[in-house]
Amino acid sequence: LRDVCERVQIRPGDRHLDIGCGWGTLVAYAAKNYGSESVGVTLGRNQTAFGNGRAAEWGVGDSARILCMDYRDIPRRPRYNRITCLEMAEHVGVRKFQEFLLQVRDMLEDDGLFYLQIAGLRGAWQYEDFSWGLFMAKYVFPGADASCPLNWVVGQLETAGFEVRTVETIGIHYSVTLGRWYENWMKNKDQIVKTYGKRWFRVWEIFLAWSVIIARQGSSTCYQILAHKNRNAFDRSALLRKPFGHGMPSGSQ
């Protein structure tokens, strides 16, 4: 959470939008720790209630709000200084992806920053990767077809008028997270089978176990992308950071 807020340089008073906010954790965290006016959007009614409840519990109920709506219905004015979207854009789909990015660009201030975290696939695919995609499309995330190689995502951003500032590939980190999910799933097998049945349990057992493997070996991955509007007037110098190791003694490791 801190990493995302730092990457997108949230400042006190910033109007921050989180598209596909889930349970609203980032929204509440940003408002509480960075002083932003944060709004999250989700389709989940339970997520909306939970997120607003936690924001109130954390003392930021006036500055962190979760709205239950389709992303296409988000009011476009006033614009936002910071827009984040973590693991939702895959579900927009390839056909609607450019339209989605153009909407984001329209909602973003000219000097604002856009953080996109999105699942991806390696470009030099192998048949194992293809099998994985077919399994996902049939059993887990039907219609989530915008998990694509990095060059496709960057091309879409540039076509929509964005300039890509940084890209981080975190597939290996995601593998560790997925491993924790798998362990929790297996620990709760009896309760899950009782509630949802053996078939449901088995599908997600395969999905989670397979996800750990493919994220570690590079078949699939996850990208963290920071972008801004590609305008001549954009202050690119404001995004400069000291290089890694700056200030360390000569010869240090």
Side-chain angles (χ1 to χ4, degrees):
L1 296 172
R2 183 179 69 245
D3 182 68
V4 173
C5 291
E6 291 292 332
R7 285 176 186 269
V8 82
Q9 299 182 25
I10 293 181
R11 300 290 183 263
D14 276 349
R15 283 178 46 79
H16 164 225
L17 170 66
D18 188 29
I19 305 174
C21 67
W23 300 95
T25 309
L26 176 60
V27 171
Y29 182 90
K32 179 180 179 180
N33 294 280
Y34 289 84
S36 60
E37 298 290 329
S38 292
V39 176
V41 173
T42 177
L43 288 175
R45 292 187 295 272
N46 291 339
Q47 291 181 327
T48 300
F50 179 90
N52 284 323
R54 179 158 55 187
E57 181 183 334
W58 287 5
V60 291
D62 293 335
S63 55
R65 295 180 296 122
I66 310 300
L67 305 177
C68 187
M69 66 168 56
D70 191 294
Y71 76 89
R72 290 167 289 192
D73 297 327
I74 299 173
R76 300 196 180 194
R77 296 294 182 277
R79 288 190 169 111
Y80 296 90
N81 310 104
R82 302 291 185 263
I83 297 179
T84 55
C85 180
L86 284 73
E87 307 294 333
M88 187 286 273
E90 300 90 333
H91 303 277
V92 170
V94 169
R95 189 168 63 88
K96 292 287 187 179
F97 202 77
Q98 185 63 203
E99 184 178 322
F100 163 70
L101 292 178
L102 289 172
Q103 177 186 342
V104 171
R105 191 179 192 279
D106 184 51
M107 294 189 297
L108 186 66
E109 294 281 7
D110 286 347
D111 61 351
L113 294 175
F114 174 41
Y115 174 93
L116 175 65
Q117 185 167 309
I118 185 169
L121 304 170
R122 58 183 170 192
W125 66 275
Q126 301 175 17
Y127 283 105
E128 181 181 355
D129 305 350
F130 185 61
S131 300
W132 162 254
L134 293 176
F135 174 84
M136 290 277 286
K138 182 174 182 178
Y139 294 107
V140 183
F141 297 129
D145 60 357
S147 294
C148 295
L150 179 60
N151 65 334
W152 185 87
V153 181
V154 171
Q156 289 289 310
L157 282 162
E158 291 178 341
T159 299
F162 286 99
E163 178 179 321
V164 174
R165 178 65 186 183
T166 61
V167 178
E168 191 81 15
T169 302
I170 59 166
I172 189 63
H173 300 280
Y174 211 44
S175 177
V176 176
T177 300
L178 289 159
R180 299 290 180 85
W181 292 352
Y182 172 78
E183 291 172 2
N184 287 338
W185 188 258
M186 299 306 294
K187 288 177 182 177
N188 292 277
K189 178 179 179 178
D190 293 342
Q191 184 61 41
I192 296 169
V193 170
K194 180 180 178 181
T195 306
Y196 298 104
K198 292 182 179 179
R199 183 181 184 278
W200 184 262
F201 174 83
R202 181 61 173 158
V203 167
W204 281 78
E205 178 188 4
I206 295 171
F207 162 64
L208 291 171
W210 200 352
S211 297
V212 173
I213 296 169
I214 66 162
R216 182 168 292 275
Q217 72 183 26
S219 300
S220 72
T221 188
C222 186
Y223 306 117
Q224 294 177 328
I225 303 173
L226 182 66
H228 56 77
K229 292 184 179 181
N230 194 354
R231 302 177 64 252
N232 292 349
F234 186 89
D235 185 10
R236 291 161 176 80
S237 65
L239 299 178
L240 293 176
R241 289 291 179 267
K242 294 179 180 179
F244 291 116
H246 178 81
M248 296 178 65
S250 178
S252 62
Q253 299 298 316

